[in-house]
Amino acid sequence: GGLVGLMALWSAYNFYIVGETCKLTDSETLGEAWSKTVSPSTSWIIQSVVTIAPMVGCLANTIVLTDVLTLALRVAGLPSAVYLNRPFVIALLTGAILYPVCSVKDLSGLKSTSVLGLTGQFAAMCALGKRLWDRSYALPAGKYVAAVAATAASTSRKTATVVAAAATNSL
């Protein structure tokens, strides 16, 4: 909990510093500020980082959203051949959820869902904080340690069985 808060503060500080640097150097981009203060010949490094970092963020978000959608499809009772087919789940996520949302010109209609999402994030943070403080998942004798281990073992066996069956059918 504390580490995430520290990282958030560090991130906020870095955004502030970038803004102040651009303001002080009368620059519109971090690359331009870098050129004015460090070296124009190395500004390509900063421009590359500024280009690649959001791509990595999108990849990380896609991984998380794919895992969430996989779980939702599993809970919905779809066959394991559907929810364990990661390329299909990514295509479904992209085509049915992300593309339509990205195509909307006016996002003001999402205000209520944004508030709902923030409320959900806060509720999850509170639940995680409670579990951190009551040490429910603490090793070796936390209240839920055995249940987590059993679930992980069961999931691994089921996944291995489905993968083996898929490999046998594709041969």
Side-chain angles (χ1 to χ4, degrees), residues 81-152:
V82 172
Y83 67 79
L84 290 178
N85 184 344
R86 199 155 181 90
F88 172 77
V89 175
I90 292 171
L92 181 64
L93 172 69
T94 304
I97 300 170
L98 297 179
Y99 180 73
V101 170
C102 291
S103 298
V104 175
K105 293 192 186 303
D106 180 16
L107 297 177
S108 63
L110 297 176
K111 286 180 187 176
S112 60
T113 57
S114 294
V115 171
L116 182 64
L118 286 173
T119 304
Q121 290 290 325
F122 183 72
M125 186 177 73
C126 290
L128 289 171
K130 178 187 181 312
R131 295 298 179 208
L132 174 68
W133 297 117
D134 71 10
R135 303 190 48 79
S136 296
Y137 292 97
L139 294 174
K143 182 177 177 180
Y144 298 114
V145 171
V148 169
T151 301

Side-chain angles (χ1 to χ4, degrees), residues 6 10 41 45 47 51 62-63 72 79 85 108 120 124 131 134 140 142 146 168:
L6 186 63
W10 179 252
S41 66
I45 297 170
Q47 297 295 42
T51 301
T62 299
I63 291 168
N85 184 344
S108 63
R131 295 298 179 208
D134 71 10
T168 303

